[in-house]
PDB file of all heavy atoms in Angstrom:
ATOM      1  N   ALA A   6     -10.203  -5.028   9.357  1.00  0.00           N
ATOM      2  CA  ALA A   6      -8.894  -4.912   9.894  1.00  0.00           C
ATOM      3  C   ALA A   6      -8.962  -4.485  11.337  1.00  0.00           C
ATOM      4  O   ALA A   6      -9.819  -3.656  11.697  1.00  0.00           O
ATOM      5  CB  ALA A   6      -8.099  -3.885   9.075  1.00  0.00           C
ATOM      6  N   PHE A   7      -8.051  -5.004  12.123  1.00  0.00           N
ATOM      7  CA  PHE A   7      -7.938  -4.550  13.502  1.00  0.00           C
ATOM      8  C   PHE A   7      -7.104  -3.281  13.520  1.00  0.00           C
ATOM      9  O   PHE A   7      -7.406  -2.333  14.260  1.00  0.00           O
ATOM     10  CB  PHE A   7      -7.220  -5.674  14.304  1.00  0.00           C
ATOM     11  CG  PHE A   7      -6.841  -5.225  15.715  1.00  0.00           C
ATOM     12  CD1 PHE A   7      -7.811  -5.020  16.709  1.00  0.00           C
ATOM     13  CD2 PHE A   7      -5.498  -4.938  15.986  1.00  0.00           C
ATOM     14  CE1 PHE A   7      -7.435  -4.597  17.938  1.00  0.00           C
ATOM     15  CE2 PHE A   7      -5.164  -4.490  17.288  1.00  0.00           C
ATOM     16  CZ  PHE A   7      -6.159  -4.303  18.256  1.00  0.00           C
ATOM     17  N   MET A   8      -6.058  -3.218  12.681  1.00  0.00           N
ATOM     18  CA  MET A   8      -5.183  -2.066  12.711  1.00  0.00           C
ATOM     19  C   MET A   8      -4.465  -1.998  11.355  1.00  0.00           C
ATOM     20  O   MET A   8      -4.168  -2.976  10.740  1.00  0.00           O
ATOM     21  CB  MET A   8      -4.095  -2.269  13.825  1.00  0.00           C
ATOM     22  CG  MET A   8      -3.094  -1.190  13.911  1.00  0.00           C
ATOM     23  SD  MET A   8      -2.038  -1.425  15.362  1.00  0.00           S
ATOM     24  CE  MET A   8      -1.130  -2.916  14.936  1.00  0.00           C
ATOM     25  N   ILE A   9      -4.230  -0.743  10.875  1.00  0.00           N
ATOM     26  CA  ILE A   9      -3.447  -0.548   9.694  1.00  0.00           C
ATOM     27  C   ILE A   9      -2.365   0.461  10.053  1.00  0.00           C
ATOM     28  O   ILE A   9      -2.616   1.565  10.493  1.00  0.00           O
ATOM     29  CB  ILE A   9      -4.326   0.062   8.529  1.00  0.00           C
ATOM     30  CG1 ILE A   9      -5.480  -0.848   8.212  1.00  0.00           C
ATOM     31  CG2 ILE A   9      -3.417   0.294   7.293  1.00  0.00           C
ATOM     32  CD1 ILE A   9      -6.507  -0.240   7.303  1.00  0.00           C
ATOM     33  N   ASP A  10      -1.107   0.066   9.865  1.00  0.00           N
ATOM     34  CA  ASP A  10       0.071   0.908  10.103  1.00  0.00           C
ATOM     35  C   ASP A  10       0.705   1.226   8.763  1.00  0.00           C
ATOM     36  O   ASP A  10       0.944   0.360   7.967  1.00  0.00           O
ATOM     37  CB  ASP A  10       1.076   0.247  11.029  1.00  0.00           C
ATOM     38  CG  ASP A  10       0.566   0.127  12.414  1.00  0.00           C
ATOM     39  OD1 ASP A  10      -0.268   0.945  12.898  1.00  0.00           O
ATOM     40  OD2 ASP A  10       1.034  -0.812  13.113  1.00  0.00           O
ATOM     41  N   ILE A  11       0.961   2.525   8.561  1.00  0.00           N
ATOM     42  CA  ILE A  11       1.549   3.013   7.359  1.00  0.00           C
ATOM     43  C   ILE A  11       2.922   3.622   7.679  1.00  0.00           C
ATOM     44  O   ILE A  11       3.004   4.626   8.411  1.00  0.00           O
ATOM     45  CB  ILE A  11       0.675   3.965   6.597  1.00  0.00           C
ATOM     46  CG1 ILE A  11      -0.688   3.306   6.332  1.00  0.00           C
ATOM     47  CG2 ILE A  11       1.308   4.464   5.346  1.00  0.00           C
ATOM     48  CD1 ILE A  11      -1.757   4.261   5.885  1.00  0.00           C
ATOM     49  N   PHE A  12       3.998   2.999   7.178  1.00  0.00           N
ATOM     50  CA  PHE A  12       5.354   3.462   7.531  1.00  0.00           C
ATOM     51  C   PHE A  12       6.036   4.168   6.323  1.00  0.00           C
ATOM     52  O   PHE A  12       5.893   3.693   5.217  1.00  0.00           O
ATOM     53  CB  PHE A  12       6.234   2.220   7.848  1.00  0.00           C
ATOM     54  CG  PHE A  12       5.854   1.518   9.157  1.00  0.00           C
ATOM     55  CD1 PHE A  12       4.878   0.560   9.162  1.00  0.00           C
ATOM     56  CD2 PHE A  12       6.526   1.848  10.341  1.00  0.00           C
ATOM     57  CE1 PHE A  12       4.536  -0.075  10.337  1.00  0.00           C
ATOM     58  CE2 PHE A  12       6.171   1.198  11.512  1.00  0.00           C
ATOM     59  CZ  PHE A  12       5.174   0.231  11.509  1.00  0.00           C
ATOM     60  N   ASN A  13       6.791   5.206   6.614  1.00  0.00           N
ATOM     61  CA  ASN A  13       7.718   5.724   5.679  1.00  0.00           C
ATOM     62  C   ASN A  13       9.140   5.299   6.105  1.00  0.00           C
ATOM     63  O   ASN A  13       9.920   4.908   5.247  1.00  0.00           O
ATOM     64  CB  ASN A  13       7.587   7.263   5.626  1.00  0.00           C
ATOM     65  CG  ASN A  13       8.373   7.889   4.468  1.00  0.00           C
ATOM     66  OD1 ASN A  13       8.669   7.198   3.515  1.00  0.00           O
ATOM     67  ND2 ASN A  13       8.729   9.140   4.597  1.00  0.00           N
ATOM     68  N   ALA A  14       9.352   5.351   7.390  1.00  0.00           N
ATOM     69  CA  ALA A  14      10.641   4.771   7.955  1.00  0.00           C
ATOM     70  C   ALA A  14      10.311   3.436   8.534  1.00  0.00           C
ATOM     71  O   ALA A  14       9.179   2.948   8.426  1.00  0.00           O
ATOM     72  CB  ALA A  14      11.160   5.732   9.027  1.00  0.00           C
ATOM     73  N   ASN A  15      11.254   2.761   9.115  1.00  0.00           N
ATOM     74  CA  ASN A  15      11.092   1.342   9.468  1.00  0.00           C
ATOM     75  C   ASN A  15      10.615   1.111  10.885  1.00  0.00           C
ATOM     76  O   ASN A  15      10.375  -0.026  11.283  1.00  0.00           O
ATOM     77  CB  ASN A  15      12.372   0.546   9.229  1.00  0.00           C
ATOM     78  CG  ASN A  15      13.517   0.936  10.131  1.00  0.00           C
ATOM     79  OD1 ASN A  15      13.426   1.933  10.864  1.00  0.00           O
ATOM     80  ND2 ASN A  15      14.587   0.216  10.051  1.00  0.00           N
ATOM     81  N   GLN A  16      10.483   2.174  11.739  1.00  0.00           N
ATOM     82  CA  GLN A  16      10.160   1.890  13.113  1.00  0.00           C
ATOM     83  C   GLN A  16       9.133   2.842  13.662  1.00  0.00           C
ATOM     84  O   GLN A  16       8.890   3.921  13.233  1.00  0.00           O
ATOM     85  CB  GLN A  16      11.436   1.860  13.965  1.00  0.00           C
ATOM     86  CG  GLN A  16      12.124   3.145  14.001  1.00  0.00           C
ATOM     87  CD  GLN A  16      13.408   3.047  14.808  1.00  0.00           C
ATOM     88  OE1 GLN A  16      13.333   2.979  16.040  1.00  0.00           O
ATOM     89  NE2 GLN A  16      14.577   3.038  14.206  1.00  0.00           N
ATOM     90  N   TYR A  17       8.415   2.353  14.767  1.00  0.00           N
ATOM     91  CA  TYR A  17       7.490   3.123  15.512  1.00  0.00           C
ATOM     92  C   TYR A  17       8.252   4.136  16.377  1.00  0.00           C
ATOM     93  O   TYR A  17       7.830   5.279  16.548  1.00  0.00           O
ATOM     94  CB  TYR A  17       6.678   2.290  16.456  1.00  0.00           C
ATOM     95  CG  TYR A  17       5.728   1.284  15.838  1.00  0.00           C
ATOM     96  CD1 TYR A  17       6.016  -0.062  15.845  1.00  0.00           C
ATOM     97  CD2 TYR A  17       4.520   1.737  15.276  1.00  0.00           C
ATOM     98  CE1 TYR A  17       5.155  -0.941  15.255  1.00  0.00           C
ATOM     99  CE2 TYR A  17       3.640   0.819  14.749  1.00  0.00           C
ATOM    100  CZ  TYR A  17       3.950  -0.540  14.727  1.00  0.00           C
ATOM    101  OH  TYR A  17       3.097  -1.408  14.226  1.00  0.00           O
TER     102      TYR A  17
END
Side-chain angles (χ1 to χ4, degrees):
F7 170 73
M8 178 174 68
I9 303 169
D10 289 331
I11 302 168
F12 291 86
N13 189 21
N15 67 353
Q16 59 182 290
Y17 293 106

